[in-house]
Amino acid sequence: MTCGQQRRALALLCFAVLQATLLSLQLAAAAPVLPQSVGTSYKAAYHYVQCEADYVIEPGSTQELADAIKAYKQLAEEKGAQLKVRVSRRLFHSTTSFVCPAQLKSFADSPENKPNVISVAVLHERLNTTLSADPEKFTMRIGAGMKLREFTAEATRNGMSVQIGSLPAYAGLTMAGVMSTSGHGSGDNATSNICDTLISITWVDANGNVRTSSRDSEEGRLFCGGMGLIGVMTELDIQMTPPTHTKLITRYLANDTDIVGDIEKMLKVSPHMLVFWRPDMRLYSAYMLKPVSTSVPAGDAHMTLLPNYKGRTNMAHLFRVIQEDIFDETMRYSGIAESVLCPTVAANSVAKTWASDGKGEDVLFAVGKTNELAATECWDDCAWNGPAYNGTAEDVHLSIEWDDFQDWTTDIKNMFQYDLWETEYDKGRCLGPGYIWLRFGHGGPDYLSMHYDMKRPVYVQSTWLKSRAVMDRFPMRYGFITDLLEEVSLCKYKGRPHWGKNFARTFTHPSCSIKDRYPRSFDKVLELQKQHDPAKVFEPELWQKIRKQESFKMYPRCALDKTCYCQEDIHCPEQHRCIPSRAPGLESYKVCKPDWRLLPESGRA
């Protein structure tokens, strides 16, 4: 080789090395820059669900989230994996797995069939600031992760009021969480949910693009009640009002003989009403909120409907013992009779008042500032998450039509009459702490909302406390009543479930398809998914099962896990049998009841 040839070869070698170096630098520069992950799991305040994710992030702005989704999308493409993203918060307020990006074990396929997934959880609690406020138009632009208690405080700070009836009772929820799950307040053919006050939504799609949609757009109609199936809400424009005052009117501990007739009359006083009903005590209390002129002086009343149990007597051990006592033996021998227990339960449920004054005294009638009477918070010492009971809630929530409301209340009363008080031994029985909530709304165009295409929705919610310490072995005391209420409301009355409440079985009943509840809008939802998220980045597995109309699986003790409705004894907890309801017209529904054959001396076998 000549000198000239050597020089050319050396030059080519140097060029190749330089080219390879530049290429490696380009690849390194192009590698996705991932945001800091703050963990790999987050769980429900109710303790039923824990979500696992490869990455858990807390973006502080729309742009931060957009950049993050682009980075994870690139990472998934490089690894040949499917990207899954869901939005929630720490200690989320749900009993279902819609908030999980990766699938829970109870729904997972066998490991060899599990797809290659990169799962990302977006916790939106840092998206909680007021971005702008217009004092002339009375509008606020806020982060979608703002909690209701923050929202009412910000409204007050900016000289505005929330709209009466638009907020749920619990102030610890986030604005986007309420909107996306079809959460609501109460307003019979009147303002009854946050989306009634919504102007527009800023959101991030599966490609990391920032978009804005008006309330009445197709996308807006899916974000309200649509579980974030096409993207992540980050900013909300909300229509407020000038500062207003609200009058509280209470009908307290009324007899429930004609509860529907009574409600019809009270709704004429105000459409914004919540009712707590205890069929086992034949009592209800109704709380009406009515706008009044600001010329009427406002006192210091503030909402305290959901009490804070901090510093109260610890009832956790007794509560556990009562739940373990499926045959009522401890009650009989301890001297703690139903005649003592039931009044105590009443005082902590149907006898609660909507508000308290500045001295902490309960008030039945008051005029207060609307923002102070709109929602309530019990922080980390609620009945369902604090140490006082070591409890959790069984929370079932559906909408039915007003035209079916009378028949529904009759069936509920019959459940208690024939299934709770089924023998002479049982006449004094009552359920534990809890109640049935009754609220009211209006029909609307939101494709997956509880009120879509309805004439006059009634929101029925069954919330009861049970011991967390033994929930893996024992059902809630007399829980067969709430199981029956759930299935009858879902199937006989074609109830539409709240997406943040209920259990997986509510959405996967083999005979009561949720897809069939939305015959005029379901295909539209699928079209919007295909348009905005064809890779189904935002689709949770439980929604996939609804879409494919896949039913729950039966296995031993599945009714205890709230993953099935029993058909045979094997599906029930130990020492229970799967028995048809005794209530007239409900004999086709089965529930798990204590097997009294194990105690023949009781006379109930």
Side-chain angles (χ1 to χ4, degrees):
M1 181 181 292
T2 67
C3 290
Q5 289 174 324
Q6 289 177 337
R7 284 195 295 270
R8 282 195 297 271
L10 184 60
L12 287 171
L13 178 62
C14 290
F15 179 76
V17 171
L18 178 62
Q19 193 174 38
T21 303
L22 289 173
L23 180 60
S24 65
L25 288 173
Q26 287 175 344
L27 290 173
V33 179
L34 303 180
Q36 181 181 358
S37 180
V38 295
T40 57
S41 67
Y42 51 106
K43 64 182 180 179
Y46 285 159
H47 301 272
Y48 289 102
V49 180
Q50 177 161 314
C51 297
E52 306 290 340
D54 297 317
Y55 303 94
V56 178
I57 63 172
E58 293 180 311
S61 70
T62 298
Q63 192 58 54
E64 278 186 29
L65 176 61
D67 292 342
I69 288 181
K70 288 176 182 177
Y72 287 118
K73 182 174 183 287
Q74 180 181 340
L75 178 66
E77 290 171 350
E78 290 176 358
K79 293 182 176 294
Q82 182 182 16
L83 178 63
K84 284 290 187 180
V85 178
R86 294 297 292 165
V87 185
S88 187
R89 50 174 281 200
R90 296 188 185 279
L91 287 178
F92 56 87
H93 214 259
S94 178
T95 48
T96 63
S97 63
F98 288 118
V99 295
C100 301
Q103 193 42 59
L104 297 178
K105 291 180 181 179
S106 58
F107 288 97
D109 294 326
S110 57
E112 61 270 20
N113 295 328
K114 189 172 182 180
N116 182 19
V117 171
I118 291 178
S119 56
V120 179
V122 178
L123 305 185
H124 64 185
E125 284 146 301
R126 290 181 61 218
L127 299 172
N128 68 336
T129 59
T130 298
L131 304 171
S132 64
D134 189 328
E136 295 183 358
K137 295 181 179 179
F138 292 99
T139 60
M140 286 173 56
R141 185 175 184 82
I142 62 171
M146 182 177 284
K147 292 184 174 66
L148 304 192
R149 65 170 180 264
E150 296 169 328
F151 178 53
T152 55
E154 284 295 286
T156 299
R157 187 177 69 83
N158 284 283
M160 305 180 196
S161 279
V162 302
Q163 294 193 37
I164 296 176
S166 63
L167 302 185
Y170 178 54
L173 307 174
T174 65
M175 296 288 284
V178 173
M179 288 170 52
S180 63
T181 57
S182 200
H184 56 85
S186 185
D188 181 43
N189 286 320
T191 299
S192 54
N193 59 71
I194 294 171
C195 284
D196 287 341
T197 71
L198 182 66
I199 300 170
S200 66
I201 304 163
T202 297
W203 55 287
V204 179
D205 68 16
N207 293 315
N209 298 320
V210 178
R211 308 187 58 172
T212 298
S213 297
S214 68
R215 167 67 182 92
D216 293 327
S217 66
E218 290 184 338
E219 291 79 7
R221 291 178 178 179
L222 183 53
F223 274 112
C224 288
M227 296 173 290
L229 287 174
I230 59 172
V232 181
M233 290 184 281
T234 58
E235 300 172 21
L236 309 172
D237 284 306
I238 304 290
Q239 183 64 60
M240 314 297 288
T241 72
T244 59
H245 292 176
T246 294
K247 184 177 183 179
L248 167 66
I249 306 168
T250 306
R251 185 167 188 184
Y252 193 60
L253 298 178
N255 184 278
D256 72 351
T257 300
D258 185 23
I259 187 171
V260 175
D262 292 347
I263 286 173
E264 183 79 274
K265 294 174 184 175
M266 289 185 289
L267 287 172
K268 294 177 181 177
V269 176
S270 175
H272 305 296
M273 178 173 69
L274 180 148
V275 177
F276 278 170
W277 181 30
R278 289 291 302 231
D280 52 346
M281 300 174 184
R282 301 183 175 90
L283 294 173
Y284 71 84
S285 289
Y287 315 98
M288 291 161 272
L289 298 177
K290 188 174 183 177
V292 295
S293 169
T294 52
S295 64
V296 179
D300 55 6
H302 56 283
M303 189 175 173
T304 51
L305 185 65
L306 303 177
N308 185 302
Y309 284 88
K310 186 174 183 178
R312 299 197 186 187
T313 302
N314 191 291
M315 301 287 289
H317 178 70
L318 176 60
F319 197 49
R320 170 181 177 164
V321 168
I322 289 173
Q323 185 164 316
E324 290 175 322
D325 182 25
I326 62 175
F327 295 113
D328 296 339
E329 293 180 299
T330 302
M331 296 288 289
R332 187 184 316 150
Y333 295 117
S334 67
I336 307 175
E338 302 280 4
S339 59
V340 174
L341 179 67
C342 293
T344 303
V345 167
N348 286 281
S349 55
V350 72
K352 295 304 299 179
T353 60
W354 185 274
S356 302
D357 62 19
K359 298 178 181 178
E361 299 292 329
D362 293 341
V363 293
L364 301 179
F365 303 89
V367 173
K369 295 178 180 179
T370 297
N371 293 339
E372 296 294 322
L373 291 172
T376 183
E377 171 66 291
C378 44
W379 307 94
D380 295 327
D381 290 284
C382 307
W384 63 83
N385 66 1
Y389 287 97
N390 189 27
T392 187
E394 287 197 3
D395 213 354
V396 172
H397 191 166
L398 306 102
S399 62
I400 63 173
E401 284 283 10
W402 175 272
D403 289 346
D404 295 323
F405 188 34
Q406 180 67 68
D407 290 342
W408 181 84
T409 57
T410 298
D411 276 341
I412 302 305
K413 290 179 178 180
N414 284 339
M415 292 176 195
F416 285 84
Q417 179 67 40
Y418 292 92
D419 285 300
L420 184 63
W421 305 316
E422 54 188 328
T423 73
E424 61 181 293
Y425 302 98
D426 308 322
K427 297 303 180 185
R429 280 177 168 180
C430 68
L431 272 65
Y435 26 63
I436 295 173
W437 312 54
L438 301 173
R439 284 170 286 185
F440 311 90
H442 59 79
D446 301 321
Y447 300 130
L448 287 176
S449 71
M450 296 173 72
H451 58 258
Y452 175 75
D453 218 18
M454 294 184 75
K455 293 184 291 184
R456 192 184 179 190
V458 180
Y459 301 112
V460 298
Q461 182 177 356
S462 168
T463 304
W464 307 89
L465 198 65
K466 69 178 181 182
S467 173
R468 198 159 65 233
V470 291
M471 60 185 283
D472 60 334
R473 293 187 294 121
F474 297 96
M476 187 185 83
R477 183 176 174 82
Y478 310 139
F480 51 84
I481 292 293
T482 58
D483 288 347
L484 184 58
L485 185 155
E486 176 187 343
E487 192 175 12
V488 168
S489 300
L490 173 68
C491 296
K492 181 176 179 179
Y493 292 97
K494 302 186 186 307
R496 292 181 180 177
H498 184 301
W499 300 107
K501 305 293 184 182
N502 307 293
F503 301 98
R505 67 183 184 184
T506 322
F507 300 95
T508 54
H509 196 295
S511 303
C512 310
S513 167
I514 300 305
K515 182 178 179 179
D516 293 343
R517 297 290 191 271
Y518 298 91
R520 285 161 43 85
S521 63
F522 204 90
D523 286 345
K524 187 63 183 177
V525 173
L526 300 185
E527 288 176 17
L528 287 168
Q529 269 193 287
K530 185 176 181 180
Q531 177 184 345
H532 294 294
D533 186 20
K536 296 183 171 54
V537 170
F538 298 113
E539 180 177 87
E541 179 121 356
L542 187 52
W543 170 257
Q544 178 181 314
K545 289 184 175 292
I546 293 170
R547 177 167 56 81
K548 294 181 177 181
Q549 295 184 294
E550 296 179 6
S551 60
F552 55 68
K553 297 176 182 179
M554 309 295 289
Y555 59 87
R557 315 301 178 215
C558 57
L560 177 63
D561 297 339
K562 301 293 183 182
T563 55
C564 76
Y565 302 95
C566 78
Q567 291 299 311
E568 301 175 9
D569 293 352
I570 191 64
H571 304 140
C572 293
E574 293 182 7
Q575 299 181 298
H576 286 71
R577 297 173 62 195
C578 185
I579 301 174
S581 169
R582 296 163 55 99
L586 303 181
E587 296 87 355
S588 62
Y589 297 92
K590 293 182 176 181
V591 289
C592 296
K593 290 187 177 182
D595 186 357
W596 288 102
R597 296 174 303 179
L598 300 174
L599 272 77
E601 68 276 10
S602 69
R604 304 190 199 188

